[in-house]
Amino acid sequence: MKLYQLAVVRPCDLEAPEQTRLPTLIVASKTDLSSFSFFQRGVAGEFVDFLTSMVAERAEVGAAMAVAKESHVAHVLRSSRNLCVVAVTDTEYPAMVARSLVGKITSEFREKYSSDAVDNATVKDQLVFDPLEQYIEKYQDPQQADTIMKVQKELDDTKAVMHQTIESLLQRGERLDTLVDKSKDLSFQTKSFYKTAKKTNSCCIVM
């Protein structure tokens, strides 16, 4: 089982007028791609960021979600208009642990940073949040989660978690292939890899 990324995201408000929208931005994150080969890590990293951003901006405010794509799951908690925490794992990683972890990160991040600080961020990982580095290392072993499980138990018991696939999360008329092709955050190499992998039915290493 693997924990690939922990990320704090400022999602684009897709319901807001286009001229007032702030772009989706990962304001703090830590990623562990050590399970991929050296040559795959660049592509894998771009796709993890792409998946994280896509699910964050489509999550409903107040909603906890687990969004599956092939062998990967994005565990999402969007606590407000401009704050969403995402943990990307493989399908073997315990969902309850991931859900508790995103809840813990949400609480701690909100204590450190104001809503204005999030809105004013302009570049990826601009807001320094050291606990992410500790958590992505510690919680590679889900058995380390006893403490956060106890702290978050009451929250987990009262919050329903929606389980969806990427396809069901997309808005009407949206297709994953089109989003990949239009993305400004994916390099030509990564887009080509995605298309080739899909044609050979081997699927992308992340998506």
Side-chain angles (χ1 to χ4, degrees):
M1 60 188 70
K2 193 69 180 173
L3 173 61
Y4 295 111
Q5 186 182 68
L6 296 172
V8 182
V9 187
R10 181 192 67 207
C12 174
D13 185 356
L14 298 177
E15 301 299 322
E18 189 169 352
Q19 63 270 23
T20 65
R21 293 180 192 172
L22 291 172
T24 296
L25 181 67
I26 297 175
V27 297
S29 67
K30 286 296 175 183
T31 306
D32 184 343
L33 301 175
S34 58
S35 57
F36 296 100
S37 74
F38 175 80
F39 297 103
Q40 290 178 321
R41 288 177 192 171
V43 170
E46 286 190 13
F47 266 111
V48 168
D49 284 352
F50 175 77
L51 173 63
T52 291
S53 298
M54 182 173 60
V55 298
E57 66 185 21
R58 287 164 178 78
E60 296 181 6
V61 174
M65 304 169 57
V67 183
K69 180 61 179 176
E70 304 298 341
S71 59
H72 298 78
V73 183
H75 304 270
V76 187
L77 176 59
R78 185 169 182 175
S79 59
S80 64
R81 169 193 59 81
N82 69 341
L83 188 65
C84 184
V85 175
V86 182
V88 179
T89 72
D90 62 14
T91 54
E92 295 179 359
Y93 198 90
M96 189 173 293
V97 175
R99 185 165 72 249
S100 296
L101 187 52
V102 297
K104 177 177 176 63
I105 292 169
T106 298
S107 298
E108 294 180 357
F109 189 86
R110 289 169 70 95
E111 288 179 3
K112 181 171 183 178
Y113 288 108
S114 67
S115 179
D116 286 344
V118 174
D119 279 345
N120 290 334
T122 57
V123 295
K124 183 177 183 286
D125 293 334
Q126 181 174 330
L127 303 183
V128 177
F129 190 58
D130 293 333
L132 293 182
E133 186 168 5
Q134 171 193 345
Y135 295 156
I136 200 164
E137 180 178 348
K138 181 176 182 180
Y139 294 109
Q140 292 297 336
D141 176 8
Q143 292 184 358
Q144 297 291 326
D146 288 347
T147 301
I148 65 168
M149 294 285 284
K150 292 174 183 176
V151 171
Q152 293 291 324
K153 185 176 188 304
E154 184 176 341
L155 173 65
D156 292 340
D157 287 345
T158 58
K159 185 180 289 293
V161 177
M162 295 181 289
H163 294 267
Q164 295 183 262
T165 63
I166 284 291
E167 288 74 18
S168 64
L169 182 66
L170 296 179
Q171 297 179 350
R172 181 176 298 180
E174 287 186 320
R175 295 178 62 249
L176 182 58
D177 291 356
T178 303
L179 293 176
V180 169
D181 194 51
K182 289 183 176 180
S183 174
K184 297 179 181 178
D185 298 319
L186 296 177
S187 64
F188 176 79
Q189 177 185 5
T190 299
K191 292 178 181 180
S192 298
F193 181 91
Y194 173 81
K195 293 176 182 178
T196 301
K198 190 166 185 181
K199 285 181 181 178
T200 58
N201 202 32
S202 59
C203 190
C204 177
I205 53 177
V206 175
M207 297 297 289

